């Protein structure tokens, strides 16, 4: 037999794998172990049969262990399985189903379907029995220990209070008696020691512990609490008996329920008001409060009637008065708390600017005022809101200005303590207006740090004076709302409250109206003084407020008093309180006296931002003057005019100082780059014209503030600029012109030699690569720079200076005819100086060449009839060829002027050199002198001037005076031959001096 077959036989407790009949032991009654004990022979046989099985421990032993499953069947060998015996009907019938079927005559054993069902049921039970058996096999030891523990606990609870059993002395002496050890003790042995065993039934339990023992005498542990439960039941009957059983109490409750149903609204109103407050539904809140008040009035009327003795109170009326009183008390508490919250919100309300997209928030205070008036209040919410708005604006203006002033000073100090920008960087920004490709009129041409400070200045002024988002707009809005309350326009839409109690709050008192007017005047004066002090006063010294702002001084200070400047923490203004930014160093700069001017800012950024600032100041002054309390105050109107005039004067002074500074270094703007359409000039004139026009246009808008002055109401506060200011502007305008032109000449004359170099370390180098590839020559060459500068000066005389003068006259309505003549004279002097600086050295070189050649002993010809020119003539003409080339490639319009001048200097040198010879001229000397002079005159005939002709005549007269009559007569005879020699010499040098030949103009 295989191990699998043996396992199957042991598992199903059968003797053959192919049984032919149902085991008879399964049909026998499976009584309890006490009723049907297994005989000894059967146990011995089973033990012998299963001695080799590992599950032999599951078999019955002397410990009399009961089945794990109540009512389980046993096989013939006494082994249990999970198949339970047919139990009685659970509904209470004493007989089983099978017996009832048999009693009815149904053949249970012969019915095939029942047999098949029984087979299927047996197989299913066997399968479940197998699973349970596996579970028991794997956890048997654990089951045994758990069962033992449970039995021990049960035994202790059952035997509580019992006397311990007396063990006979003889049992201790028999060492081989069957006493089970602790580890192998079976629950049958332990359970046999309980009170239900034959030994424990006769022993009485102690009275204290007996009532808690799980035995019949103590009613299984219930005896201890039975008496208290009885007492509680008696007391409950005494208390609830009359209420539950009495007819009178029933009627009372019925009446109470009817009253509650009738007064349902009274009970609901308290909850409804709480819900409205939570949802901020002010309209529904007022309706519910009115309903609650109506209930209270009705209850009060009933009480008044009863107190007068006319009608006694019924139970329902009494109940109504009680519940209404309690309801009204709760409603009053809620409404008073709600009013306190509304009062607090009303004082904290901050209306947004008039043009703000969140304008609907500005009407919040009207909703709060309406609610308070509707509910009824003792004080006027209108006056409270207006006074709180006044206090709020007053504190906000002061705090915002002081904060902005300190922030501006911090950035100004950082710029002042930094290194000045290099000249190359500074002048590059001055070229921006003249560079149409890179000029963006929406941005100021200056460094990012300077523009940052300008933006802060403009933003601070805008925050204070803007009528569409600034504090001035809030003041104007405050006055308009105050005026609406004073005129009674808004009150027409406000509620009058219960019984008209709030009607008294609709009108402001006379003193209240005066206080509001004075408050608006005070707010305007604070704004005016703040702006005036910022522009007129020097920079502040104390910046401690930035790192130690003062907290609110009173506990009642609303949250709105903590303004935005203190709420934000910009990283630019964070620094150690023990190491604040140092004050600005005193270097004698003009901007050190102006708190609003960024250090090292140029004029272009100044006119860009100051124009905006002046427009803000002028517009703000106009808006202030439009307020009725301000316009009726003559002193305040005068102060507003002083505000505009003082701010304009300070801005003009700061701008003029920067204008002078920029002009003094404007000659560094010269980059020697020529424009594409003209090769004889540089871009310097264009840069200067664009710079001057930009400054003059911006200065005009700052001085006149036309954007505000052209308004109908602007003339009240924006006065025309004084004559002294216009004279100052005109004087500095002329100074900038002269400074720029003189520095331009000086810059062009700078030598590159170290001994006479006037360039500083920060100066722009003379030699720069052209950005557009149009460099006009070698910038190291002084003569080229002088030629370009002369061409620029000519352009200044003809075009640039007249345009600038005309632009000034147009913008400032000032006649500069005399100044224009002066400027033209200065330009002529500058031109003559430049021409002399350029042509003078060449004239001296030519004079030296000619004088050396003529006075030389070798000049006198050795033959009677000379046919060649002396070398000095070629040397002088070659120098002129170089000059001609330089001028032609640099500034062609100056060619005729320069060559004509040098021709005059050559003839003058001939005259001087011939006079320097002491001996008399022979015929050969006369012929040589005539050949030299006539050859030069014929070559430069295109550049002959009247002065040159006159000097040439003087040369011939001087020669004629230094010879005799014989030589003079013979010279006349040699003239035809000399003309032939000159022609031959010109033809021989045609290629060398072709540049001096007049160019023919080709037709077509």
């Amino acid at each position: 037999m295989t191990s699998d077959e043996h396992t199957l036989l042991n598992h199903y407790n059968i003797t053959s794998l192919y049984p032919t009949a149902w085991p008879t032991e399964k049909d026998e009654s499976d009584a309890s172990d006490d009723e049907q004990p297994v005989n000894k022979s059967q146990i011995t046989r089973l033990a012998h049969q299963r001695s080799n099985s590992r599950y032999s421990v599951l078999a019955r032993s002397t410990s009399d262990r009961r089945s794990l499953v109540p009512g389980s069947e046993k096989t013939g060998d006494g082994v249990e399985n999970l198949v339970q015996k047919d139990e009685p009907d659970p509904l209470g019938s004493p007989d089983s189903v099978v017996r009832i079927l048999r009693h009815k005559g149904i053949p249970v054993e012969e019915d095939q379907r029942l047999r098949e069902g029984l087979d299927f049921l047996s197989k299913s039970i066997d399968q479940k029995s197998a699973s349970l058996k596996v579970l028991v096999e794997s956890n048997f030891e654990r089951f045994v220990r758990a069962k033992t523990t449970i039995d021990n606990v049960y035994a202790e609870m059952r035997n509580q209070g019992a006397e311990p059993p007396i063990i006979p002395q003889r049992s201790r002496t028999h060492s081989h008696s069957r006493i089970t050890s602790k580890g192998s003790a079976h629950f049958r042995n332990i359970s046999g020691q309980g009170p239900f065993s034959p030994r424990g039934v006769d022993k009485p339990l102690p009275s204290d512990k007996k009532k808690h023992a799980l035995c019949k005498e103590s009613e299984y542990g219930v005896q201890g609490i039975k008496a208290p439960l009885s007492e509680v039941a008696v007391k409950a009957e005494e208390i609830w008996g009359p209420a539950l059983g009495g007819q009178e109490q029933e009627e009372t409750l019925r009446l109470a329920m009817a009253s509650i149903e009738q007064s349902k609204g009274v009970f609901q109103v308290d909850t409804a008001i709480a819900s409205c407050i939570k949802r901020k539904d002010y309209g529904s809140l007022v309706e519910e409060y009115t309903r609650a008040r109506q209930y209270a009035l009705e209850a009060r009327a009933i009480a008044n009637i009863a107190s007068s003795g006319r009608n006694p109170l019924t139970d329902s009326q009494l109940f109504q008065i009680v519940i209404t009183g309690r309801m009204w008390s709760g409603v009053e508490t809620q409404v008073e708390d709600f009013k306190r919250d509304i009062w607090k919100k009303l004082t904290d309300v901050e209306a947004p600017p008039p043009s703000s997209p969140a304008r609907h928030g500005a009407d919040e205070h009207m909703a709060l005022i309406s609610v308070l008036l509707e509910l009824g209040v003792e004080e006027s919410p209108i006056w409270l809101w207006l006074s709180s708005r006044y206090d709020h604006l007053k504190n906000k203006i002061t705090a915002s200005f002081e904060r902005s002033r300190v922030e501006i000073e911090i950035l100004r100090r950082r710029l002042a303590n930094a290194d000045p920008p290099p000249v190359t960087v500074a002048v590059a920004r001055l070229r921006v207006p003249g560079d149409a490709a890179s000029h963006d009129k929406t941005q100021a041409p200056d460094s990012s740090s300077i523009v940052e400070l300008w933006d802060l200045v403009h933003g601070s002024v805008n925050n204070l004076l803007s009528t569409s988002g600034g504090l001035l707009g809030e003041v104007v809005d405050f006055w308009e709302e105050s005026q609406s309350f004073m005129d009674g326009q808004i009150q027409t839409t406000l509620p009058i409250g219960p019984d008209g109690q709030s009607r008294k709050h609709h009108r402001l008192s006379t003193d209240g109206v005066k206080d509001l007017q004075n408050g608006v005047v005070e707010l305007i004066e604070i704004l005016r003084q703040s702006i005036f002090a910022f522009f007129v006063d020097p920079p502040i010294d104390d910046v401690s407020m930035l790192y130690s702002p003062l907290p609110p001084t009173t506990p009642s200070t609303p949250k709105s008093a903590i303004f935005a400047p203190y709420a934000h923490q910009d990283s630019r203004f964070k620094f150690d309180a023990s190491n604040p930014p140092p004050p600005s160093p005193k270097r004698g700069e003009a901007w050190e006296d102006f708190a609003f001017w960024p250090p090292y800012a140029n004029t272009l950024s100044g006119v860009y931002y100051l124009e905006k600032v002046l427009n803000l100041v002028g517009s703000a002054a106009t808006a202030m003057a439009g307020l009725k309390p301000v316009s009726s105050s003559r002193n305040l109107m005068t102060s507003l005019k002083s505000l505009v005039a003082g701010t304009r004067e300070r801005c003009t002074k700061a701008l003029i100082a920067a204008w002078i500074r920029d002009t003094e270094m404007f000659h560094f703007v010269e980059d020697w780059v020529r424009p594409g359409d003209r090769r004889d000039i540089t871009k310097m004139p264009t840069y200067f014209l664009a710079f001057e026009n930009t400054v003059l246009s911006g200065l005009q808008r700052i001085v006149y503030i036309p954007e505000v002055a052209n308004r109908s109401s602007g003339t009240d506060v924006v006065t025309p600029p004084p004559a002294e200011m216009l004279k100052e502007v005109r004087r500095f305008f002329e100074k900038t012109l002269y400074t720029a032109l003189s520095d331009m000449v000086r810059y062009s004359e700078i030598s590159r030699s170290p001994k006479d170099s006037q360039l500083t370390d920060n100066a722009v180098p003379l030699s720069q690569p052209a950005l557009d590839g149009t460099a006009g020559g070698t910038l190291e060459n002084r003569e080229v720079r002088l030629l370009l500068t002369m061409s620029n000066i000519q352009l200044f005389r003809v075009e640039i200076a007249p345009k600038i003068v005309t632009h000034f006259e147009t913008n400032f309505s000032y006649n500069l005819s005399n100044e224009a003549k002066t400027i033209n004279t200065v330009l002529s002097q500058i031109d003559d100086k430049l021409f002399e600086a350029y042509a003078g050295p060449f004239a001296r070189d030519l004079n030296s060449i000619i004088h050396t050649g003529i006075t030389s002993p070798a000049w006198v010809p050795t033959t009677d009839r000379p046919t060649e020119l002396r070398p000095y003539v070629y040397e002088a003409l070659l120098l002129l060829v170089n000059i001609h080339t330089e001028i032609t490639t640099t500034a062609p319009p100056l060619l005729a002027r320069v060559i004509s001048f040098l021709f005059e200097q050559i003839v003058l040198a001939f005259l001087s050199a011939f006079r320097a010879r002491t001996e008399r001229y022979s015929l050969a000397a006369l012929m040589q002198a005539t050949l030299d002079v006539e050859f030069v005159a014929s070559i430069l005939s295109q550049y002959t001037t009247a002065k040159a002709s006159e000097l040439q005549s003087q040369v011939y007269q001087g020669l004629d005076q230094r010879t005799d009559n014989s030589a003079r007569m013979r010279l006349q005879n040699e003239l035809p031959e000399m003309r032939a020699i000159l022609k031959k010499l010109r033809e021989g040098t045609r290629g060398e001096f072709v540049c001096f030949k007049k160019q023919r103009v080709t037709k077509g």
Side-chain angles (χ1 to χ4, degrees):
M1 181 181 297
T2 63
S3 60
D4 293 338
E5 293 175 351
H6 183 71
T7 303
L8 290 173
L9 293 175
N10 290 336
H11 182 74
Y12 292 105
N13 297 317
I14 56 179
T15 59
S16 174
L17 294 176
Y18 305 99
T20 59
W22 181 262
T24 58
E25 61 270 15
K26 291 186 178 291
D27 295 332
E28 297 178 357
S29 177
D30 186 19
S32 63
D33 294 336
D34 295 334
E35 297 174 355
Q36 295 181 359
V38 181
N39 55 46
K40 184 176 181 180
S41 61
Q42 190 177 7
I43 293 176
T44 305
R45 181 176 57 84
L46 289 175
H48 177 72
Q49 181 180 353
R50 303 180 60 192
S51 60
N52 296 327
S53 175
R54 60 182 294 188
Y55 307 111
S56 58
V57 71
L58 295 176
R60 291 288 184 179
S61 63
T62 56
S63 61
D64 195 19
R65 179 166 53 92
R66 295 184 181 272
S67 172
L68 295 175
V69 180
S72 60
E73 294 184 348
K74 296 182 180 178
T75 59
D77 56 359
V79 180
E80 297 178 351
N81 57 22
L82 295 179
V83 181
Q84 298 180 4
K85 294 185 299 181
D86 192 14
E87 59 184 6
D89 192 351
L91 297 179
S93 177
D95 295 331
S96 65
V97 177
V98 176
R99 292 181 181 179
I100 293 174
L101 291 177
R102 289 174 179 173
H103 180 71
K104 291 183 177 181
I106 298 175
V108 178
E109 290 78 3
E110 290 79 5
D111 194 322
Q112 185 64 29
R113 292 181 300 173
L114 291 178
R115 299 298 300 179
E116 292 176 357
L118 181 60
D119 293 339
F120 177 76
L121 182 59
S122 298
K123 293 179 182 179
S124 301
I125 292 175
D126 288 341
Q127 291 177 359
K128 294 183 179 180
S129 176
S131 300
L132 182 60
K133 185 176 182 180
V134 173
L135 177 64
V136 172
E137 289 173 355
S138 60
N139 298 276
F140 178 72
E141 293 295 334
R142 190 179 302 171
F143 289 161
V144 170
R145 288 195 299 270
K147 179 61 176 175
T148 303
T149 303
I150 294 173
D151 287 345
N152 291 335
V153 174
Y154 173 72
E156 291 179 4
M157 295 178 64
R158 185 183 59 184
N159 299 332
Q160 187 175 7
E163 294 295 333
I166 302 175
I167 301 175
Q169 192 69 25
R170 58 179 179 85
S171 63
R172 299 181 181 178
T173 60
H174 295 282
S175 59
H176 298 285
S177 63
R178 299 185 62 183
I179 298 176
T180 308
S181 63
K182 180 179 181 182
S184 61
H186 199 270
F187 55 85
R188 287 287 188 181
N189 305 89
I190 300 174
S191 61
Q193 299 174 6
F196 298 100
S197 63
R199 293 176 296 177
V201 172
D202 299 333
K203 298 293 183 179
L205 299 177
S207 59
D208 294 337
K209 299 181 180 180
K210 182 178 180 181
K211 60 181 179 180
H212 299 296
L214 295 178
C215 59
K216 186 176 181 180
E217 290 79 0
S218 63
E219 298 183 8
Y220 299 98
V222 182
Q223 185 178 7
I225 62 173
K226 189 173 181 180
L229 288 176
S230 299
E231 294 177 359
V232 171
V234 172
K235 291 182 179 179
E237 181 66 22
E238 293 176 356
I239 295 174
W240 292 100
L244 297 176
Q247 185 177 3
E248 183 178 355
Q249 293 294 334
E250 182 180 359
E251 184 65 23
T252 302
L253 290 176
R254 186 180 296 109
L255 291 176
M257 292 300 297
S259 300
I260 291 174
E261 186 66 24
Q262 183 180 0
S263 306
K264 183 185 296 184
V266 177
F267 290 101
Q268 294 176 349
V269 68
D270 195 6
T271 306
I273 288 178
S275 177
C276 292
I277 294 175
K278 185 177 181 180
R279 292 183 287 107
K280 297 182 179 180
D281 188 357
Y282 299 151
S284 301
L285 173 63
V286 172
E287 294 177 1
E288 295 295 336
Y289 180 73
T290 304
R291 188 157 64 96
R293 192 168 180 276
Q294 186 65 31
Y295 288 144
L297 292 177
E298 292 176 359
R300 187 176 292 111
I302 294 174
N304 291 336
I305 294 173
S307 63
S308 62
R310 288 177 289 179
N311 291 319
L313 289 175
T314 63
D315 293 340
S316 60
Q317 290 176 341
L318 181 61
F319 183 77
Q320 181 179 358
I321 292 174
V322 172
I323 63 175
T324 303
R326 297 191 63 179
M327 176 274 298
W328 182 248
S329 176
V331 169
E332 281 290 316
T333 302
Q334 290 191 70
V335 171
E336 289 299 324
D337 294 340
F338 173 73
K339 286 181 181 179
R340 282 193 293 270
D341 294 339
I342 295 299
W343 284 113
K344 185 177 180 180
K345 291 181 180 179
L346 195 61
T347 56
D348 290 347
V349 166
E350 180 180 358
S355 62
S356 174
R359 179 58 184 168
H360 64 278
D363 298 331
E364 182 183 358
H365 65 278
M366 293 304 302
L368 300 178
I369 291 174
S370 298
V371 170
L372 289 176
L373 292 177
E374 190 74 33
L375 297 177
V377 289
E378 296 296 330
E379 299 180 2
S380 173
I382 298 175
W383 175 252
L384 176 66
W385 182 77
L386 292 175
S387 60
S388 63
R389 280 293 309 279
Y390 163 76
D391 294 334
H392 166 77
L393 289 175
K394 182 178 179 181
N395 296 331
K396 187 175 182 180
I397 291 172
T398 304
S400 297
F401 170 70
E402 294 298 334
R403 172 77 183 195
S404 300
R405 195 178 191 180
V406 173
E407 289 179 351
I408 292 172
E409 178 60 21
I410 292 298
L411 292 187
R412 202 189 73 85
R413 289 186 180 185
R414 289 177 179 171
L415 281 175
N417 287 282
D419 295 332
V423 177
T424 53
V425 177
V427 299
R429 300 189 181 103
L430 299 180
R431 297 191 188 105
V432 172
D435 191 355
S438 62
H439 183 35
D440 185 4
K441 295 184 179 180
T442 61
Q443 295 181 355
D446 219 325
S447 66
S448 59
S449 57
I450 292 176
V451 171
E452 179 186 17
L453 181 52
W454 274 125
D455 287 334
L456 182 59
V457 172
H458 177 260
S460 300
V461 176
N462 184 75
N463 182 48
L464 289 173
L465 300 183
S466 176
T467 57
S468 59
L471 295 178
L472 177 59
E474 294 189 30
V475 174
V476 173
D477 186 42
F478 167 68
W479 167 246
E480 291 176 353
E481 293 180 347
S482 301
Q483 193 173 21
S484 300
F485 283 113
M486 287 187 280
D487 297 340
Q489 299 176 1
I490 300 181
Q491 286 87 330
T492 57
T493 61
L494 294 178
I496 60 175
D499 300 333
Q501 297 178 5
S502 301
R503 194 188 303 275
K504 61 183 178 180
H505 301 314
H506 284 196
R507 286 289 179 180
L508 297 175
S509 63
T510 304
D511 295 336
V513 172
K514 291 182 179 179
D515 291 340
L516 288 175
Q517 293 175 347
N518 295 334
V520 171
V521 171
E522 184 178 359
L523 293 176
I524 295 298
E525 181 63 19
I526 293 174
L527 277 174
R528 188 201 69 81
Q529 291 179 356
S530 300
I531 296 299
F532 188 79
F534 176 67
F535 283 98
V536 175
D537 294 347
I540 60 175
D541 296 328
D542 185 13
V543 295
S544 60
M545 188 186 68
L546 191 63
Y547 52 83
S548 60
L550 294 177
T553 55
T554 59
S556 60
T557 303
K559 292 182 179 180
S560 58
I562 305 176
F563 304 109
Y566 293 101
H568 80 282
Q569 290 294 332
D570 197 328
S571 59
R572 297 176 299 174
F573 310 113
K574 290 182 178 180
F575 53 86
D576 188 4
S578 60
N579 187 23
S584 301
K586 300 298 182 181
R587 301 191 181 100
E589 298 285 351
W591 44 260
E592 295 175 0
D593 297 331
F594 303 101
F596 58 89
W597 188 273
Y600 309 113
N602 59 38
T603 317
L604 299 176
S605 64
V607 296
Y608 179 82
Y609 280 98
L610 290 183
E611 176 189 352
K612 295 182 178 182
V613 170
L614 263 297
N615 286 332
L616 279 173
V617 174
S619 300
T622 303
M624 294 176 186
L627 301 179
K628 184 178 179 180
V630 178
S631 59
S632 59
S633 175
R634 180 177 301 178
N635 294 333
L636 190 54
M637 289 296 294
T638 304
S639 299
L640 291 177
K641 293 180 181 179
S642 301
L643 169 65
V644 178
T647 305
R648 175 176 58 189
E649 181 181 358
R650 291 284 291 179
C651 291
T652 303
K653 288 183 178 180
L655 191 61
I656 288 176
W659 192 12
I660 294 297
R661 182 176 180 274
D662 290 343
T663 306
E664 289 176 351
M665 66 175 181
F666 202 87
H667 58 279
F668 292 126
V669 174
E670 180 63 84
D671 53 3
W672 307 109
V673 176
R674 309 182 195 184
D677 54 345
R678 292 193 62 175
R679 307 291 298 172
D680 59 323
I681 60 173
T682 65
K683 291 184 177 182
M684 171 70 168
T686 305
Y687 290 147
F688 187 76
L689 176 62
F691 172 77
E692 286 290 300
N693 286 343
T694 303
V695 174
L696 289 176
S697 298
L699 190 58
Q700 187 267 345
R701 290 189 290 270
I702 291 173
V703 171
Y704 288 96
I705 319 178
E707 184 177 334
V708 180
N710 293 335
R711 303 175 189 172
S712 58
S713 58
T715 56
D716 296 337
V717 291
V718 180
T719 57
E724 292 296 329
M725 179 180 292
L726 294 179
K727 289 181 180 179
E728 191 79 1
V729 173
R730 177 187 59 81
R731 184 168 67 86
F732 281 101
F733 166 67
E734 295 178 9
K735 183 177 180 180
T736 56
L737 282 178
Y738 299 149
T739 301
L741 294 174
S742 60
D743 289 344
M744 187 167 55
V745 173
R746 181 180 63 84
Y747 188 62
S748 64
E749 292 179 340
I750 292 176
S751 173
R752 295 300 296 169
S753 59
K755 62 180 180 179
D756 56 354
S757 176
Q758 300 179 22
L759 284 175
T760 62
D761 294 336
N762 292 329
V764 178
L766 296 175
S767 180
Q768 296 185 16
L771 299 177
D772 55 358
T774 57
T778 304
L779 300 183
E780 300 288 341
N781 193 332
R782 174 177 175 273
E783 287 72 23
V784 173
R785 299 198 307 272
L786 289 174
L787 287 173
L788 291 175
T789 306
M790 280 193 292
S791 297
N792 290 341
I793 293 297
Q794 289 293 335
L795 184 63
F796 266 98
R797 290 183 59 187
V798 176
E799 183 177 348
I800 302 299
K803 285 184 178 180
I804 294 176
V805 171
T806 303
H807 191 73
F808 183 89
E809 292 176 341
T810 303
N811 282 284
F812 294 94
S813 302
Y814 206 95
N815 188 6
L816 294 179
S817 56
N818 296 330
E819 287 78 2
K821 293 178 181 179
T822 305
I823 292 172
N824 192 34
T825 301
V826 171
L827 288 172
S828 298
Q829 294 174 357
I830 292 174
D831 181 70
D832 293 341
K833 183 178 179 181
L834 286 173
F835 187 82
E836 174 62 26
Y838 177 77
F842 293 120
R844 290 189 288 271
D845 292 342
L846 290 172
N847 181 68
S848 177
I849 291 172
I850 293 172
H851 193 273
T852 302
I854 293 177
T855 57
S856 175
W859 177 78
V860 178
T862 57
T863 60
D864 295 337
R865 181 177 292 176
T867 58
E868 297 292 338
L869 298 174
R870 290 306 181 193
Y872 77 92
V873 176
Y874 293 108
E875 185 180 356
L877 289 177
L878 286 177
L879 178 58
L880 286 178
V881 169
N882 292 334
I883 297 172
H884 185 282
T885 303
E886 186 176 66
I887 296 174
T888 303
T889 57
T890 304
L894 299 177
L895 181 62
R897 180 185 177 189
V898 175
I899 299 300
S900 297
F901 171 75
L902 293 179
F903 181 40
E904 294 174 356
Q905 297 301 314
I906 289 174
V907 177
L908 187 60
F910 276 127
L911 179 60
S912 175
F914 286 136
R915 289 178 179 177
R917 293 185 65 89
T918 56
E919 67 274 8
R920 297 182 66 83
Y921 292 99
S922 61
L923 176 61
L926 288 175
M927 294 177 64
Q928 186 65 51
T930 303
L931 285 175
D932 292 348
V933 174
E934 285 295 326
F935 182 81
V936 173
S938 63
I939 293 298
L940 301 177
S941 60
Q942 181 182 349
Y943 304 100
T944 301
T945 61
K947 183 178 180 181
S949 299
E950 182 182 355
L951 291 174
Q952 189 175 359
S953 299
Q954 293 180 10
V955 170
Y956 291 136
Q957 291 176 5
L959 292 174
D960 187 66
Q961 294 176 0
R962 300 284 297 276
T963 187
D964 53 15
N965 191 35
S966 174
R968 191 180 299 114
M969 295 299 296
R970 292 169 59 189
L971 180 62
Q972 294 295 327
N973 297 328
E974 294 292 337
L975 288 178
E977 185 66 22
M978 292 178 62
R979 291 189 184 96
I981 295 172
L982 286 173
K983 182 178 180 181
K984 181 179 179 181
L985 291 173
R986 283 198 302 269
E987 291 177 354
T989 58
R990 181 179 300 176
E992 287 82 351
F993 307 118
V994 70
C995 60
F996 298 115
K997 186 177 181 180
K998 185 177 182 180
Q999 301 294 331
R1000 295 181 180 180
V1001 180
T1002 59
K1003 297 182 180 180

